[in-house]
Amino acid sequence: MEKYKERKWSGEKGKKFGKVDDPYLPAGGRAEMAICTTCKAIYQNKSWFYDEEVYRQNFQKDTTNRVTCPGCQKVQDHYYEGVLTLEGDFLAGHREEIITLLNREADRVSQKSPLDRVIQMVWEGNDRLIVETTTEKLAQRLGKAVYRAYKGNLDFRWSHMNKFVRVYWSR
Ligand SMILES: [Zn+2]
């Protein structure tokens, strides 16, 4: 079994996702909105959201920028700001159940907030699961959801000026 390896994103964060020249935002001028061609998220009035109706009405318009949203971009770049580690005998005995719970909670959060996404879930052996998320918020939400459902131990450790969180749950 290969050990799970941390892969740090090598780019310059401020340059790529900062406010100065964020390539994911509409370039101003004529563009009224931007739509992500991967997940159909819509950017309008400085926020990202999903709306099937708005998507259908605007996708073909010239005034719409077709882009990759920061959520999809971070998933593609494997850029994560949260890591949730779950482990223990209870986890090993309830793998399917806990994966289902994590997916349901992740979907619930992502539907409201397209930038909060799970990048990947990796099993390390039978009793350890690593979940990488694009935001520290989602890693916390997932950890709390598992704790609410199954109790156990939950712990948060922040770093990088509170921009990165490691969440540990065990039972
Ligand atoms: Zn997207």
Side-chain angles (χ1 to χ4, degrees), residues 35 54-64 66:
I35 287 181
V54 174
Y55 173 81
R56 271 201 304 272
Q57 288 171 4
N58 292 281
F59 188 66
Q60 308 284 1
K61 288 188 184 170
D62 288 344
T63 50
T64 300
R66 279 165 279 275

Side-chain angles (χ1 to χ4, degrees), residues 1-5 7 84-100 102-103 120-132 169 171:
M1 172 67 59
E2 200 193 337
K3 187 108 172 94
Y4 173 80
K5 284 201 198 71
R7 278 146 300 181
L84 166 64
T85 301
L86 307 106
E87 59 190 342
D89 293 339
F90 182 87
L91 172 68
H94 297 78
R95 289 165 56 119
E96 295 295 318
E97 222 177 303
I98 291 174
I99 287 280
T100 301
L102 289 169
N103 282 328
Q120 64 172 8
M121 298 192 191
V122 181
W123 283 99
E124 194 180 85
N126 193 43
D127 60 355
R128 195 168 144 93
L129 174 65
I130 317 278
V131 183
E132 294 173 353
W169 177 84
R171 183 180 163 190

